[in-house]
Amino acid sequence: MRDSNCLFCKIAGGDIPSQKVYEDELCCAFRDIAPQAPTHILVVPKEHIVSVAEITESDAALVGHIFAVIAKVAKAEGLTNGYRVISNAGPDAGQTVPHLHFHILGGRPLGEGLLGNN
Ligand code: 5GP
Ligand code: ZN
């Protein structure tokens, strides 16, 4: 189900423009508007799911598919030297858009620390 007030539902549905790099019936991938690395892509389900915290067993096929798409998109972007996948869930993680999304970050060394700051 789409949420008519949700930014990423609107982007996934094509109502708000974005630089899409991949799309199928279940999900799409588009460039982040404020990239934090040379390659910064968001992969989102077309279905409105708030965050990782809302995923249930019934989403298993969808989530598995999204991760296969992440691998495909990273390969298509030429991220052969590695990349990071991040999903922020809730206020402590700094989630700003309440629609499940996976950041693909790459194109430069991101550091060994999980948060890139150590
Ligand atoms: P979060 O902070 O929720 O993990 O990530 C939200 C991401 O969405 C941020 O990296 C932000 O730059 C990106 N973003 C916010 N609004 C838009 C938009 O309208 N278009 C695109 N392409 N990205 C957006
Ligand atoms: Zn949504």
Side-chain angles (χ1 to χ4, degrees):
M1 276 281 283
R2 276 177 64 179
D3 177 337
S4 55
N5 293 315
C6 169
L7 175 63
F8 284 177
C9 280
K10 289 178 186 167
I11 287 179
D15 300 335
I16 290 179
S18 68
Q19 280 185 268
K20 282 201 176 122
V21 297
Y22 177 87
E23 182 165 20
D24 63 29
E25 66 283 0
L26 293 176
C27 69
C28 69
F30 53 90
R31 296 195 189 282
D32 196 290
I33 205 167
Q36 294 185 40
T39 298
H40 187 172
I41 290 168
L42 303 173
V43 185
V44 311
K46 291 197 167 172
E47 179 189 346
H48 183 78
I49 298 171
V50 171
S51 76
V52 165
E54 313 298 319
I55 290 171
T56 67
E57 287 290 344
S58 65
D59 301 312
L62 172 64
V63 173
H65 175 70
I66 286 174
F67 272 89
V69 167
I70 287 170
K72 194 183 293 188
V73 167
K75 204 168 283 179
E77 289 290 315
L79 300 177
T80 53
N81 212 37
Y83 54 92
R84 186 167 289 158
V85 179
I86 294 176
S87 191
N88 293 318
D92 275 5
Q95 184 180 9
T96 58
V97 180
H99 177 124
L100 178 64
H101 53 280
F102 295 90
H103 298 257
I104 303 174
L105 293 151
R108 67 166 168 81
L110 297 167
E112 287 188 5
L114 198 53
L115 303 175
N117 58 2
N118 58 339

